[in-house]
């Protein structure tokens, strides 16, 4: 029986099998080029890059080539990517040998393309080679290969010798470069494809090749196949097919349907590569597993697909599903871990999260895509520069992922780190600062900052501390600083700063609930001004910017009231009735602000500070002031960088180490100690000046020439270290020598009273109510814990500043019970308390006791006083 159709089918089947056997493909994802397929040539001068590309890796200038052998019939398609990270030239060029009859280009016959020539009009040029002699046959678009070309190239030849070459920058639609006819050299079952790099030493590692696909050009009888589907975000899918698609079918939304109620897309867009289709959904996806159904899709040959289905998953991330849990911003000097910057991510959710869906950025950099990696619920992973992955991986727990950010990933002192999804929605944001370190010795490097409780992600610095780890951190595992527990602390308002007459920036002590702080009904101003808007700041959840309906007036003090409906992220209500005063800042006059206290000679390891007092009835803006010493040269003045209002009657302190000052003095107003650079202040004598500048005008508020001789004469030079100088009277001239003396430690436990009225301050107009040096209103002590007479109060009042005192308790037999004050400078008035504790930490026995006081005046007079008290009760 004559069956010509059977012969045709058999012939097509045979040709297809031969074609499959002839295909050469390599995307180098296996990490090698010596097998599947095997490349030969100058193999020692090539490697597989970290991005999975074939990369030139030569050590000296020259030329290097690699070859692969295979079957290339007369009808063949060559497709590949070539990337040069330099501008090619006559001495730095690349040749792609499409088809040669042997691997030695000096003798071979065949065809190749070349990129690299003098000038800036570099194009893809096409050559025929006859026994090593090359002849140019065609030239593509001028300039396409001129500037660091990154091109996708496709060449096609048929049995009649008709050639067509297409090319375009990676990700763009291919454009025809040229067509020609030449069938001088036929294809065959043993032909060579190769790459040849010609280079100087500066470009010896800058040639890259990828996605090589050499296949017979056979009739297309297969419909397009859906290869993958990816959920870019909740309303967008990207589909990838295995071949180029016909536009009208690919963009017909009726050809697509998504399960679980998502339905048909509202838009379908065919990509420039003709293989990807982007679908836009009308119904947002939720976290879960979906199936997409595709039918009626055609390729360019008209082959139409039947119904195809493919499953895909989508994870809809919410804020704080993934958090930044640990930060190594300054690894130098190392404490044990490698000297490399890193941060740690923690998955708080119940979802498996693909990190490639996240982007990481700092305050100044562009978002960087994280590597593909599935982070399980409760999982930790370390993120570092790709350059540091190796050294970290061998030293830390868990996996280390690299991102291409150079060596430096984090700023040492402070930075804003943001995690977003692919749509730009913020998942986590941390504005860290080195002052978050709770161990001052760890601020200088080598130790990480650890989040204390990951279940309170909205908190700021109060939820971070120096790592307790002796090696400097705990990357890849639970923090050593971890502590569970609820946030039960109510938020307070830290600062209210008018950025303009119609805008007030509020700063709370912790991150706030967005809905509550953005409700304008929760804010009232007196005198009344309506609040038009309230917007929580995207980079700092503790800040809210209020917009007013009309501008605030000058010389008017406004009181801001905040309702208790405002709450933090843990639903703790704002319950405080703090008096918040705001207003438009004014220009000072001389002595509106006075220098009130200065620690110019700190003890070893201590820090200097300067305190100012607002003795006017005006509001000032600290950002308009400078502190200077000696002169106003650039090296001896520092601008105050804080956007803070200075209200009447307030004491504000500036120090180069504000955390240390806050830790060293008890009972002070912590928020009124501010970190700021100070001019150089000499330990012996120097001048200090506060001046205001605005719009070309300048006013000196106060200046003071200090020297050691202003200290109390009872203190030796060594004893003056760490002792602040205090102003005695606010209304006396600053430079009056008798208006300064040494601070007492009675109020704060240290020799200074930063943010508080001075221990040696005197009111000029109000005389003391009593002339007694000491008084004990209730001379009885019953330390039994019943809240009645549990402690004894001993009040003192001396006629002038500079007194020192000793205060001792004896029992009725004359035995020493407790030394409460031991030859210590005291203020002009104050109180000393005794709770019945003895020198050895026990409780004194009931009975009559004696309070013995010795007072030493600045001029050497000594007064001794005795008062009897009773210790009563059974305890």
């Amino acid at each position: 029986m004559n069956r010509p159709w059977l012969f045709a089918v058999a012939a097509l089947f045979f040709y297809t099998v031969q074609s499959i056997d002839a295909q050469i493909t390599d995307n180098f994802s296996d990490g090698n080029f010596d097998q599947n397929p095997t490349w030969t040539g100058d193999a020692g001068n090539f490697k597989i890059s970290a991005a999975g590309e074939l990369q030139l890796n030569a050590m000296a200038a020259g030329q290097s080539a690699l070859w692969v052998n295979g079957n290339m019939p007369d009808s063949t398609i060559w497709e590949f990517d070539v990337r040069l990270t330099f501008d090619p030239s006559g001495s730095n060029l690349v040749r792609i040998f499409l088809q040669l009859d042997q691997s030695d280009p000096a003798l071979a016959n065949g065809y190749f393309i070349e990129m690299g020539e003098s000038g800036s009009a570099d194009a893809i040029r096409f050559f025929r080679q006859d026994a090593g002699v090359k002849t140019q046959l065609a030239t593509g678009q001028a300039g396409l290969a001129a500037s660091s070309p990154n091109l996708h190239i496709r060449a096609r030849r048929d049995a009649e010798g008709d050639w067509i070459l297409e090319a375009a920058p990676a990700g763009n639609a291919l454009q025809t470069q040229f067509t020609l006819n030449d069938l001088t050299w036929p294809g065959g079952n043993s032909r060579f494809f190769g790459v040849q790099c010609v280079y100087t030493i500066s470009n010896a590692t800058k040639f890259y090749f990828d996605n090589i696909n050499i296949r017979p050009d056979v009739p297309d009888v297969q419909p397009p196949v859906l290869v993958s589907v990816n959920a870019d975000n909740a309303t967008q899918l990207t589909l990838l097919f295995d071949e180029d698609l016909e536009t009208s079918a690919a963009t017909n939304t009726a050809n697509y349907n998504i399960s679980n109620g998502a339905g048909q897309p509202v838009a379908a867009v065919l990509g420039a590569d003709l293989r990807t289709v982007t679908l836009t959904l009308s119904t947002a996806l939720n976290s879960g597993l979906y199936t997409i159904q595709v039918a009626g899709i055609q390729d360019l040959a008209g082959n139409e697909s039947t119904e195809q289905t493919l499953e895909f998953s989508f994870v809809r991330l919410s804020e704080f599903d993934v958090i930044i849990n640990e930060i190594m911003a300054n690894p130098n000097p190392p404490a044990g871990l490698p000297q490399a910057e890193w941060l740690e991510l923690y998955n708080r959710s119940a979802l498996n999260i693909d990190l490639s869906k996240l982007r990481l950025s700092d305050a100044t950099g562009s978002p960087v895509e994280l590597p593909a990696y599935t982070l399980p619920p409760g999982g930790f992973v370390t993120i570092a520069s790709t350059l540091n992955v190796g050294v970290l991986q061998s030293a830390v727990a868990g996996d280390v992922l690299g991102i291409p950010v150079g060596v430096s990933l984090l700023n040492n002192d402070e930075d804003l780190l943001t995690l977003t999804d692919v749509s730009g929605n913020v998942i986590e944001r941390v504005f860290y600062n080195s002052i978050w370190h709770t161990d001052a010795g760890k601020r200088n490097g080598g130790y990480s900052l650890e989040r204390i409780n990951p279940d309170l992600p909205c908190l700021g610095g109060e939820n971070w501390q120096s790592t307790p780890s002796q090696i400097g951190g705990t990357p890849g595992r639970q923090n050593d600083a971890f502590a569970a527990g609820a946030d039960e602390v109510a938020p307070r308002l830290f600062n209210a700063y008018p950025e303009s007459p119609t805008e007030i920036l509020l700063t709370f002590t912790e991150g706030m609930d967005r809905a509550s702080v953005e409700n304008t009904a929760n804010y009232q101003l007196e005198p009344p001004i309506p609040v038009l808007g309230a917007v929580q700041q995207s980079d700092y959840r503790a800040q809210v910017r209020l917009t007013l309906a009309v501008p605030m007036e000058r010389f008017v003090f406004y009181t801001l009231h905040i309702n208790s409906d405002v709450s933090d992220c843990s639903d703790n209500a704002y319950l405080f009735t703090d008096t918040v005063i705001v207003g438009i800042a004014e220009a000072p006059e001389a002595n509106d602000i006075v220098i009130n206290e200065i620690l110019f000679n700190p003890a070893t390891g201590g820090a200097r500070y300067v305190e100012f007092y607002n003795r006017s009835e005006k509001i000032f803006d600290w950002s308009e002031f400078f502190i200077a010493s000696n002169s106003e040269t650039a090296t001896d003045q520092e601008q105050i960088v804080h956007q803070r209002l200075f209200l009447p009657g307030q004491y504000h302190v500036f120090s180069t180490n504000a955390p240390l000052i806050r830790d060293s003095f008890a009972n002070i107003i912590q928020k009124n100690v501010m970190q700021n650079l100070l001019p150089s202040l000499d330990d012996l004598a120097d001048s200090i000046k506060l001046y205001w500048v605005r719009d070309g005008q300048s006013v000196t508020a106060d200046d003071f020439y200090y020297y050691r001789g202003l200290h109390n004469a009872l203190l030796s030079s060594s004893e003056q270290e760490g002792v602040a100088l205090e102003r005695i009277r606010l209304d006396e001239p600053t430079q009056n020598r008798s208006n300064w003396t040494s601070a007492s430690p009675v109020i704060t436990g240290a020799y200074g009273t930063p943010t508080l009225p001075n221990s040696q301050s005197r009111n000029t107009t109000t005389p003391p109510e009593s002339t007694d040096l000491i008084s004990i209103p209730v001379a009885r002590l019953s330390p039994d814990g019943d809240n009645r007479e549990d402690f004894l109060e001993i009040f003192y009042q001396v006629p002038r500043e500079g007194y020192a005192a000793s205060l001792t308790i004896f029992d009725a037999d004359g035995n020493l019970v407790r030394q409460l004050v031991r030859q210590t400078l005291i203020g002009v008035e104050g109180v000393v308390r005794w709770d019945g504790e003895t020198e050895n930490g026990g409780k004194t026995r009931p009975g009559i006791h004696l309070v013995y006081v010795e007072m030493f005046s600045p001029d050497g007079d000594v007064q001794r006083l005795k008062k009897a008290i009773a210790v009563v009760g059974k305890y």
Side-chain angles (χ1 to χ4, degrees):
M1 180 181 294
N2 185 12
R3 296 180 178 175
W5 62 270
L6 182 60
F7 175 80
V9 170
L12 178 61
F13 174 78
F14 176 79
Y15 190 80
T16 302
V17 171
Q18 293 298 309
S19 299
I20 293 173
D21 290 342
Q23 184 164 328
I24 300 172
T25 62
D26 203 343
N27 63 8
F28 307 104
S29 60
D30 56 3
N32 63 69
F33 55 85
D34 59 354
Q35 54 184 321
N36 299 321
T38 300
W39 296 74
T40 59
D42 301 312
N45 288 345
F46 289 86
K47 71 173 185 177
I48 305 303
S49 73
E53 300 167 291
L54 177 64
Q55 179 186 0
L56 178 67
N57 189 39
M59 302 300 292
Q63 54 181 295
S64 301
L66 280 183
W67 307 93
V68 64
N69 178 257
N71 185 10
M72 300 176 199
D74 288 339
S75 295
T76 296
I77 297 173
W78 294 263
E79 197 160 2
F80 50 87
D81 296 333
V82 57
R83 181 167 67 94
L84 309 179
T85 58
F86 61 91
D87 296 346
S89 65
S91 55
N92 289 276
L93 56 87
V94 63
R95 298 186 181 102
I96 311 293
F97 292 94
L98 302 177
Q99 174 190 303
L100 294 181
D101 57 8
Q102 60 175 291
S103 61
D104 185 353
L107 303 173
N109 302 306
Y111 303 93
F112 68 90
I113 64 173
E114 182 176 291
M115 289 184 287
E117 54 188 301
S118 59
S120 59
D122 301 52
I124 299 175
R125 294 180 293 158
F126 186 80
F127 295 85
R128 185 184 72 234
Q129 183 162 297
D130 307 294
V133 178
K134 65 180 183 179
T135 302
Q136 182 171 319
L137 303 180
T139 301
Q141 174 187 339
L144 181 65
S147 179
S148 297
N150 182 9
L151 301 176
H152 180 66
I153 299 175
R154 180 191 296 166
R156 185 192 301 265
R157 171 192 169 166
D158 63 20
E160 286 72 41
D162 290 326
W163 291 82
I164 180 171
L165 189 137
E166 303 169 285
N172 294 320
L174 292 171
Q175 301 291 327
T176 299
Q177 299 298 304
F178 50 77
T179 61
L180 62 105
N181 181 272
D182 190 287
L183 44 67
T184 303
W185 301 112
N189 60 8
S190 180
R191 295 292 183 267
F192 291 87
F193 173 87
V195 298
Q196 184 180 50
C197 309
V198 179
Y199 48 88
T200 58
I201 185 59
S202 60
N203 294 320
T205 61
K206 298 180 180 180
F207 294 72
Y208 300 85
F209 309 92
D210 204 0
N211 299 318
I212 296 168
N213 188 333
I214 306 170
R215 58 192 184 276
D217 187 10
V218 299
D220 181 8
V221 296
Q222 298 297 321
V225 175
L226 178 62
V227 176
S228 66
V229 57
N230 183 65
D232 301 325
N233 55 56
T235 58
Q236 181 174 295
L237 304 179
T238 296
L239 282 58
L240 175 64
F241 291 84
D242 69 341
E243 60 177 314
D244 296 352
L245 304 181
E246 187 274 325
T247 302
S248 62
T251 57
N252 185 355
T253 57
N255 290 336
Y256 309 93
N257 190 69
I258 299 97
S259 65
N260 298 346
Q264 291 184 357
V266 295
V269 177
L270 181 62
D273 63 355
L274 301 182
R275 297 189 178 192
T276 58
V277 178
T278 301
L279 304 182
T280 302
L281 311 182
S282 60
T283 303
L285 303 175
N286 294 311
S287 295
L289 188 66
Y290 290 83
T291 300
I292 186 168
Q293 178 182 306
V294 178
I297 304 300
Q298 297 180 4
D299 60 19
L300 297 180
N303 302 304
E304 183 174 309
S305 69
T306 58
E307 180 180 308
Q308 304 179 67
T309 60
L310 204 61
E311 286 189 341
F312 68 94
S313 62
F314 175 69
V315 175
R316 187 170 190 170
L317 294 180
S318 300
E319 189 176 27
F320 302 134
D321 277 351
V322 178
I323 62 171
I324 297 167
N325 198 52
E326 189 173 357
I327 299 169
M328 176 65 87
N330 182 11
N332 185 32
L337 291 173
Q339 188 174 322
E341 297 176 3
W342 50 266
L343 58 86
E344 176 193 79
L345 301 181
Y346 171 62
N347 183 357
R348 296 180 62 249
S349 75
L351 306 169
N352 287 302
I353 296 177
D354 179 5
L355 294 186
S356 68
K357 305 296 185 184
L358 295 178
R359 307 291 182 264
L360 174 67
S361 63
D362 72 350
T364 57
S366 300
V368 177
E369 180 179 348
L370 296 185
Y373 181 86
T374 300
L375 187 62
F380 301 88
V381 69
T382 303
I383 306 294
S385 163
T386 52
L387 301 174
N388 290 326
V389 169
V391 67
L392 282 170
Q393 187 64 79
S394 61
V396 308
D399 293 324
V400 180
L401 305 182
I403 55 177
V405 293
V407 177
S408 181
L409 175 68
L410 307 163
N411 295 336
N412 285 357
D413 295 328
E414 65 177 21
D415 211 340
L416 174 63
L417 303 179
T418 304
L419 275 177
T420 60
D421 63 17
V422 292
S423 299
N425 299 311
V426 175
I427 305 302
E428 159 77 317
R429 180 171 275 138
V430 175
F431 191 10
Y432 73 83
N433 194 300
S434 60
I435 64 174
W436 286 5
H437 274 286
T438 52
D439 186 331
K442 295 181 178 180
R443 290 176 189 154
N444 295 326
Y447 294 88
S448 70
L449 281 169
E450 292 189 346
R451 193 187 290 263
I452 299 169
N453 188 347
D455 290 329
L456 300 175
C458 191
L459 296 181
E462 65 273 20
N463 197 28
W464 292 76
Q465 71 164 67
S466 304
T467 178
S469 170
Q470 292 184 352
I471 63 171
T474 56
R477 64 178 178 86
Q478 186 182 80
N479 292 342
D480 281 356
F482 172 81
D487 172 21
E488 298 178 351
V489 178
R492 300 194 70 166
L493 184 65
F494 177 80
N495 188 30
Y497 177 76
E499 298 180 304
S500 75
T502 58
E503 290 184 318
I504 302 173
L505 184 66
L506 306 181
T507 303
F508 291 88
T509 53
E510 59 179 298
M512 303 298 286
D513 170 67
R514 176 171 290 126
S516 67
V517 295
E518 292 191 343
N519 184 353
T520 57
N522 287 329
Y523 308 97
Q524 296 85 37
L525 278 172
E526 292 291 342
I529 296 181
V531 178
L532 285 184
V535 178
Q536 187 178 53
Q537 300 308 285
S538 60
D539 59 348
Y540 191 24
R541 297 179 67 102
Q543 287 189 331
V544 181
R545 180 173 286 111
L546 304 184
T547 302
L548 308 183
V550 296
M552 292 181 288
E553 298 180 10
R554 293 185 62 195
F555 313 119
V556 176
F557 284 42
Y558 292 88
T559 303
L560 175 65
H561 301 283
I562 302 176
N563 296 352
S564 60
D565 290 339
V566 167
S567 62
D568 63 18
C569 295
S570 302
D571 292 327
N572 296 308
Y574 179 88
L575 300 177
F576 295 94
T577 57
D578 301 335
T579 300
V580 182
I581 302 296
V582 294
I584 303 301
E586 301 179 45
E589 297 179 13
N591 296 315
D592 278 349
I593 301 173
V594 294
I595 299 167
N596 193 56
E597 184 175 340
I598 179 171
L599 178 56
F600 61 87
N601 181 21
T604 302
R608 293 175 173 83
Y609 68 78
V610 181
E611 179 188 70
F612 301 99
Y613 175 73
N614 184 352
R615 48 173 284 182
S616 75
E617 296 299 322
K618 304 173 186 175
I619 296 176
F620 304 111
D621 181 350
W622 274 126
S623 66
E624 299 174 342
F625 286 83
F626 290 77
I627 304 174
S629 68
N630 293 320
S631 65
E632 295 179 15
T633 62
T635 57
D636 291 312
Q637 65 177 7
E638 296 293 344
Q639 183 174 10
I640 296 176
V641 298
H642 295 267
Q643 292 185 327
R644 288 278 298 272
L645 294 182
F646 194 26
L647 303 177
Q650 284 188 334
Y651 300 85
H652 280 185
V653 173
F654 297 96
S655 174
T656 54
N657 193 339
L660 180 61
I661 300 301
R662 297 187 194 111
D663 293 342
S664 301
F665 296 86
N667 308 314
I668 66 174
I669 303 173
Q670 298 273 320
K671 71 175 184 178
N672 287 350
V673 180
M674 288 169 272
Q675 181 83 11
N676 208 89
L677 293 176
L678 295 177
S680 58
L681 298 175
D682 193 85
D683 288 351
L684 297 175
D686 212 332
S687 65
I688 186 164
K689 178 168 69 172
L690 178 73
Y691 67 97
W692 169 92
V693 176
R694 185 205 290 170
D695 299 330
Q697 296 180 309
S698 178
V699 174
T700 296
D702 197 14
D703 63 283
F704 174 43
Y705 177 74
Y706 67 82
Y707 53 96
R708 283 195 171 190
L710 297 177
H711 273 294
N712 191 297
L714 295 174
L715 297 177
S716 66
S717 295
S718 61
E719 291 172 333
Q720 292 173 7
E721 291 188 359
V723 179
L725 272 180
E726 289 188 340
R727 189 186 192 106
I728 298 170
R729 293 177 175 84
L730 294 168
D731 55 357
E732 289 285 330
T734 300
Q735 205 52 59
N736 185 346
R737 184 192 189 289
S738 63
N739 200 30
W740 293 88
T741 191
S742 305
S744 163
V746 171
I747 297 176
T748 64
Y751 286 89
T753 53
T755 76
L756 302 175
N758 291 343
S759 63
Q760 305 288 8
S761 65
R762 293 296 294 246
N763 188 321
T764 303
T765 59
T766 305
E769 295 182 359
S770 172
T771 58
D772 292 342
L773 290 180
I774 67 167
S775 62
I776 304 176
V778 180
R780 186 170 56 252
L781 172 65
S782 175
D784 55 6
D786 64 355
N787 294 322
R788 296 179 59 191
E789 299 177 355
D790 283 342
F791 55 83
L792 185 77
E793 289 187 316
I794 306 166
F795 292 85
Y796 64 86
Q797 182 170 272
V798 295
R800 63 183 186 276
E801 69 285 343
Y803 269 74
S806 292
L807 197 157
T808 310
I809 308 293
F810 295 93
D811 63 18
D813 297 325
N815 299 312
L816 172 67
V817 175
R818 183 70 186 274
Q819 183 114 37
L820 296 176
V821 178
R822 192 189 308 265
Q823 291 186 341
T824 301
L825 285 175
I826 60 174
V828 293
E829 59 183 25
V831 63
V832 178
R833 291 184 176 182
W834 181 47
D835 60 3
E837 186 177 21
T838 64
E839 284 288 294
N840 60 16
K843 288 291 185 181
T844 189
R845 293 180 296 175
I848 299 301
H849 287 60
L850 185 69
V851 178
Y852 180 69
V853 180
E854 291 182 300
M855 293 283 189
F856 307 89
S857 70
D859 56 10
D861 180 44
V862 180
Q863 295 194 48
R864 296 177 175 84
L865 304 96
K866 301 176 184 178
K867 288 190 177 290
I869 62 166
V871 178
V872 299
K874 296 180 180 180
Y875 50 90

